[in-house]
Amino acid sequence: MLKAMLAALISAAAGSTLAAPVTYNLDPNHTYPSFEADHFGGMSILRGKFNSSSGNVVLDKEAQTGSVEVTIDTSSIDFGNPKLNEHVKTPEMFDVAKYPQAIYKGKLVKFKDGVPTEVEGALTLHGVTKPVVLKINQFKCMVNPMSKKEVCGADAAGNFSRADFGIDYGKQYGFNQEVKLRIEVEGARAD
């Protein structure tokens, strides 16, 4: 009986050591970094998104750890207004010629029922890196019924001051510098 219990424990321990982190490559057709920013101190809210991004999520379900990295092409900014799009690409704001990418890197933390509920990370924007915490509103992994591949998806949100990154255009007109960031992601398991 003791031998059987010992064998079961060794087998269980060996099985847990075989579990490894899994990488999911983000699908650019299902990954949308978007944001909301103030216009004239409460007159209205400008909403936009970035149309081009890439990255990955690494998830170790057993260890309840993981990481995320999203690279955003800042020239793909889209407010749905071509004139505004061109203005925010200039040196007055994003200066996309000098800073063509924004990068968010973080650790998946605060797992609840096997699912991360937060990302502790850092955003590099306009040549400046600052901590930005994202709250994960939903996170799900499953086999996609269409592609038959294992996929994970999430919706995460956080806030930051754009002035902290050297993008304070409009401050002189009363624009609130707080930005609401939202990142919707889906990624397929890397083979």
Side-chain angles (χ1 to χ4, degrees), residues 107-111 115-120 133-136:
K107 297 184 307 184
L108 300 173
V109 297
K110 297 186 180 178
F111 281 69
V115 174
T117 62
E118 197 170 280
V119 184
E120 291 177 352
V133 174
L134 299 177
K135 178 181 181 253
I136 299 174

Side-chain angles (χ1 to χ4, degrees), residues 22-39:
V22 176
T23 298
Y24 298 86
N25 293 323
L26 298 185
D27 176 354
N29 294 316
H30 290 92
T31 300
Y32 296 102
S34 61
F35 55 88
E36 294 181 359
D38 175 73
H39 193 234

Side-chain angles (χ1 to χ4, degrees), residues 24-25 141-152 187-191:
Y24 298 86
N25 293 323
C141 295
M142 62 180 267
V143 174
N144 182 312
M146 296 170 73
S147 70
K148 309 296 187 222
K149 290 186 174 186
E150 183 181 343
V151 296
C152 289
R189 183 179 179 138
D191 295 323

Side-chain angles (χ1 to χ4, degrees), residues 6 35 37 60 63 67 72-73 85 87 93 95 108 112 126 187:
L6 187 57
F35 55 88
D60 187 331
S67 63
I72 299 164
D73 174 359
N85 293 348
H87 172 70
M93 294 192 73
D95 196 359
L108 300 173
K112 182 178 179 186
H126 205 248

